[in-house]
């Protein structure tokens, strides 16, 4: 085998690590809606968000302190505005999930995929390629089919509008993170940690001013803390670290498209774990998402 052939083969079988991590995030996020609903049986939305992100902040803080001592975070302040955007996302998303169905939430939040393409154009002045735009539309149609159990009728309530707002804010989040962090000295750990701190503080302040003191208590049920542990470790700490890492390596639309496959993994989780069945139309939708994800994962940026 020649050197040229060997080099070609190495390129051809290169494992898309970033894409694989994003798909893993989608897997975890696909399980998060039902778990969040379960956690909200024990406490309020604001206390739940405050607990989740406080633990996330404390978990990664030792690494961030080390990074500051090494002089790796000269531009740490750029994390603050994205933290406020993330706060708005979770307030809308968790309040929305509490007031709508899981299928509606899955479809509406997936609209962040196509909204990110427009946000890239407006915020970063960068046009999305025609191929990526087609894959984005394919993914959105797939999610619509996957989450449609009784035709295509979708009546929106207040929870649905909150989820739709969260989808728009997700698009703003990934594009703004790309713009703010480009060429800046801040580690991904620090970016994730400071974002979590901002979300926790916003939720605490909102809870302090909004909730009566009788509701501002920590749950004692073991199930609640097991759910929180899972959500913190896999759906918050790991997920947002990967998102922040990936958006600095590739385009925001590509990141959103891969993470937007979460309804597919949520449906697979329901089939395997909860023994739920899918209709033929839902299977077609899942297939469209799968095609979009596979093509996006293997194509060049």
């Amino acid at each position: 085998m020649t050197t040229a052939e060997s080099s070609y083969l190495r390129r051809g079988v290169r494992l898309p690590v970033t894409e694989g991590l994003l798909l893993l995030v989608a897997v975890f996020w696909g399980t998060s809606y039902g778990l969040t609903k379960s956690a909200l049986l024990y406490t309020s939305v604001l206390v739940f968000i405050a607990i989740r992100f406080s633990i996330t902040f404390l978990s990664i803080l030792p690494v961030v302190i080390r990074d500051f001592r090494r002089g790796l975070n000269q531009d740490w302040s750029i994390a603050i505005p994205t933290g406020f955007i993330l706060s708005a996302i979770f307030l809308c998303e968790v309040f929305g999930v509490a007031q709508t169905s899981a299928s509606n939430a899955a479809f509406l939040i997936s609209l962040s995929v196509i909204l990110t393409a427009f946000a890239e154009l407006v915020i970063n002045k960068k046009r999305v390629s025609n191929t990526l735009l087609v894959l984005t539309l394919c993914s959105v149609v797939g999610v619509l089919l996957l989450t449609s159990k009784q035709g295509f009728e979708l009546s929106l309530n207040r929870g649905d509008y909150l989820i739709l707002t969260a989808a728009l804010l997700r698009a703003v989040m990934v594009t703004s993170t790309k713009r703010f962090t480009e060429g800046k000295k801040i580690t991904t750990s620090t970016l994730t940690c400071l974002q979590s701190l901002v979300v926790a503080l916003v939720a605490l302040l909102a809870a302090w001013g909004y909730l009566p003191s009788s509701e501002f208590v920590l749950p004692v049920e073991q199930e609640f803390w097991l759910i929180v542990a899972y959500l913190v470790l896999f759906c918050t700490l790991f997920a947002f670290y990967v998102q922040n890492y990936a958006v600095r390596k590739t385009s925001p639309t590509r990141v959103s498209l891969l993470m937007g496959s979460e309804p597919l993994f949520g449906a697979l989780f329901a089939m395997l774990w909860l023994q739920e069945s899918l209709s033929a139309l839902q299977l077609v939708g899942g297939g469209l998402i799968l095609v979009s994800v596979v093509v996006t994962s293997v194509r060049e940026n």
Side-chain angles (χ1 to χ4, degrees), residues 38-54:
S38 297
L40 291 176
L41 296 175
Y42 300 103
T43 188
S44 67
V45 169
L46 293 174
V47 172
F48 169 72
I49 294 175
I51 291 172
R52 179 173 171 178
F53 281 90
S54 294

Side-chain angles (χ1 to χ4, degrees), residues 263-274:
L264 172 61
F265 297 107
L268 291 175
F269 175 78
M271 288 179 63
L272 297 174
W273 186 257
L274 304 175

Side-chain angles (χ1 to χ4, degrees), residues 89-117:
I89 291 172
F90 266 86
L91 288 172
C92 291
E93 194 169 296
V94 180
F95 272 113
V97 166
Q99 299 175 46
T100 189
S101 67
S103 59
N104 278 18
F107 169 62
L108 292 171
I109 202 67
S110 75
L111 293 179
S112 63
V113 176
I114 195 165
L115 291 171
T116 302

Side-chain angles (χ1 to χ4, degrees), residues 282-294:
Q282 289 175 302
L283 290 173
V284 171
L288 287 174
I289 300 172
L290 184 61
V291 169
S292 302
V293 165
V294 170

Side-chain angles (χ1 to χ4, degrees), residues 53 56-57 60 64 79 86 186-198 236-245:
F53 281 90
T56 302
F57 165 72
I60 201 170
V64 174
L86 188 60
I186 180 172
T187 64
T188 303
S189 299
T190 300
L191 181 61
T192 306
C193 183
L194 293 180
Q195 287 173 344
S196 299
L197 175 61
V198 172
T236 310
L237 187 58
F238 173 78
F240 286 105
Y241 182 92
V242 169
Q243 177 179 288
N244 288 329
Y245 168 81

